């Protein structure tokens, strides 16, 4: 028997559907993602912490869940909203249904709602604070009122420092390489790894680390609040600034550490939150976007070559190009809304990209940025 679920938004919009995950109450910022595949990678992307993800593609769960397609140790999203959950999952790699996966990690989900209407609201009004009530919590005459109260009680992501919450607690080594059919993920521990990269974990996705490892990087992953002095003492060939959730401006510990690293000649590469933090460390500012960028079909132009790439995106904040100092130049720009997508420092070996070039999920158009980082470390040698 199906159990009821309610999704409420802070603007008063209410959606009634069925529960497809755990029972209870969850709240967060409601956003929409336009990717047609990759729901497992999306759910486990730490950048979705404290966000309820709406998937615009109507059929979600039809390839099930497997233990390989994860981007962190657990589901990071606060909840899942979909149009339809297929009754059967079909894939030779499937080990679990989406519904069972959500229940096993105590994550709420709601299905059988008009996601087109919901997406239109988020598109027109911007990302909304919202709440899901599922199971017994969604029953009773006052259920809608309680859902609206929970939605309005969420404080919003502006000013919320989440990087230190999702980061690892201790430094560790990473050796897993890229995935191959029938072979799984490669072990790079015995491979030639000429470059030592220290990666700041603000909510890093596994596949970013895999792509660095596959390119000959010996990776040491450190907590978000690690001082630059500790990182520099490891004598890295390069410093990587990871993706992550929340507002970049409150992350003063990260901004200070990046500024200290920039005083050296060590190459720096940032992605997503790492891109925004690099911009802040260089003297720029960031802004909260309306509905953000979430999807795997976003066109971005390389301003140096004119090349247009299709990219994977997941961010609700953006570096403000108008505030960049003279020694920082724009390298990439979104063709959807013109927002800044990439920068480089003209007087330091440091650059960054807003999207997710590791293609998990999404296209591989921007993967050469990893090669550029390796080339910078090689040139420094």
């Amino acid at each position: 028997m199906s159990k009821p679920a309610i999704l409420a938004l802070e603007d008063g919009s209410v959606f009634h559907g069925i529960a497809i995950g755990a029972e209870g109450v969850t709240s967060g910022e409601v956003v929409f993602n336009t990717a047609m595949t990759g729901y497992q990678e999306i759910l486990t992307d730490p950048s979705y912490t404290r966000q309820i993800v709406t998937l615009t593609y109507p059929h979600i769960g039809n390839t099930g869940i497997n233990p390989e397609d994860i981007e962190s140790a657990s589901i990071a999203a606060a909840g899942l909203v979909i149009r339809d959950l297929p009754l059967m999952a079909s894939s030779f790699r499937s080990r679990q249904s989406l519904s069972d996966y959500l229940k096993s990690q105590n994550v709420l989900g709601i299905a059988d709602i008009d996601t087109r209407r919901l997406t239109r609201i988020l598109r027109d009004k911007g990302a909304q604070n919202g709440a899901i009530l599922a199971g017994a919590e969604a029953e009773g005459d006052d259920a809608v009122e309680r859902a609206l109260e929970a939605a309005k009680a969420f404080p919003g992501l502006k000013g919320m420092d989440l990087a230190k919450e999702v980061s690892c607690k201790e430094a560790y080594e990473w050796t897993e390489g890229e995935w191959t059919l029938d072979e799984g993920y490669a072990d790079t521990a015995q491979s030639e790894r000429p470059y030592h990269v220290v990666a700041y974990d603000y909510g890093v996705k596994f596949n970013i680390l895999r792509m660095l490892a596959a390119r000959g990087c010996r990776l040491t992953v450190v907590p978000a609040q690690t001082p630059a002095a500790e990182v520099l003492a490891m004598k890295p060939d390069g410093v990587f600034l990871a993706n992550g959730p929340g507002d970049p401006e409150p992350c003063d510990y990260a901004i200070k550490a990046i500024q200290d690293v920039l005083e050296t000649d060590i190459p720096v590469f940032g992605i997503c939150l790492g891109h925004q933090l690099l911009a802040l460390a260089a003297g720029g500012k960031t802004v909260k976007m309306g509905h953000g960028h979430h999807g795997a079909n976003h066109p971005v132009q390389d301003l140096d070559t004119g090349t247009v790439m299709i990219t994977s995106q997941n961010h609700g904040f953006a570096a403000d190009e108008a505030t960049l100092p003279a020694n920082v130049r724009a390298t990439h720009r979104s063709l959807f809304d013109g927002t800044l997508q990439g920068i480089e420092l003209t007087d330091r070996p440091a650059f960054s990209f807003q999207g997710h070039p590791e293609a998990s999920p999404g296209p591989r158009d921007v993967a050469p940025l990893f090669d550029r980082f390796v080339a910078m470390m090689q040139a420094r040698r």
Side-chain angles (χ1 to χ4, degrees), residues 234-289:
M234 300 177 188
K235 299 188 183 306
D237 295 297
V239 173
F240 175 73
L241 313 174
N243 63 291
D247 188 342
E249 287 193 355
C251 303
D252 53 352
Y253 52 89
I255 297 168
K256 175 62 168 63
I258 296 168
Q259 288 172 336
D260 290 344
V261 172
L262 291 176
E263 291 299 315
T264 72
D265 65 344
I266 298 173
V268 175
F269 176 29
I271 289 176
C272 190
L273 183 67
H275 157 77
Q276 298 160 14
L277 290 171
L278 178 62
L280 288 169
K285 295 182 180 180
T286 56
V287 294
K288 180 77 168 70
M289 303 174 72

Side-chain angles (χ1 to χ4, degrees), residues 184-341:
Y185 289 106
D187 183 0
T188 67
Q190 304 305 317
S191 304
E192 183 180 358
R193 296 181 294 166
Y195 308 106
H196 181 207
V197 172
V198 175
Y200 271 103
D201 177 14
Y202 307 127
V204 68
K205 295 172 73 174
F206 288 165
N207 213 47
I208 289 176
L209 299 176
R210 293 175 187 131
M211 293 184 76
L212 288 168
R215 287 163 169 78
C217 297
R218 177 170 63 87
L219 288 160
T220 302
V221 184
V222 298
Q225 293 177 284
T226 304
E230 292 184 25
V231 169
L232 297 176
M234 300 177 188
K235 299 188 183 306
D237 295 297
V239 173
F240 175 73
L241 313 174
N243 63 291
D247 188 342
E249 287 193 355
C251 303
D252 53 352
Y253 52 89
I255 297 168
K256 175 62 168 63
I258 296 168
Q259 288 172 336
D260 290 344
V261 172
L262 291 176
E263 291 299 315
T264 72
D265 65 344
I266 298 173
V268 175
F269 176 29
I271 289 176
C272 190
L273 183 67
H275 157 77
Q276 298 160 14
L277 290 171
L278 178 62
L280 288 169
K285 295 182 180 180
T286 56
V287 294
K288 180 77 168 70
M289 303 174 72
H291 50 73
H293 290 171
H294 310 278
N297 59 346
H298 288 239
V300 170
Q301 186 170 40
D302 184 323
L303 300 180
D304 292 333
T305 67
T307 301
V308 175
M309 302 165 289
I310 303 302
T311 70
S312 182
Q313 303 274 329
N314 178 17
H315 61 108
F317 293 83
D320 185 355
E321 184 174 349
T323 66
L324 295 179
N327 67 324
V328 182
R329 74 179 194 92
T331 59
H332 297 81
R333 190 172 291 127
S334 168
L335 294 185
F336 272 167
D337 57 11
T339 53
L340 185 65
Q341 282 282 320

Side-chain angles (χ1 to χ4, degrees), residues 16-83:
H16 294 269
I18 61 170
I20 59 169
E23 296 187 38
V25 180
T26 188
S27 61
E29 182 182 76
V30 185
V31 299
F32 66 91
N33 186 302
T34 56
M36 296 176 66
T37 61
Y39 53 83
Q40 189 173 340
E41 293 95 326
I42 290 167
L43 283 171
T44 55
D45 179 355
S47 296
Y48 278 119
T49 299
R50 305 301 298 273
Q51 290 184 311
I52 296 172
V53 184
T54 303
L55 298 178
T56 60
Y57 187 73
H59 304 295
I60 301 298
N62 45 2
T63 55
I65 298 292
N66 69 77
E68 292 183 320
D69 291 350
I70 57 173
E71 289 301 322
S72 65
S74 61
I75 294 177
L80 177 66
V81 181
I82 64 173
R83 175 66 184 91

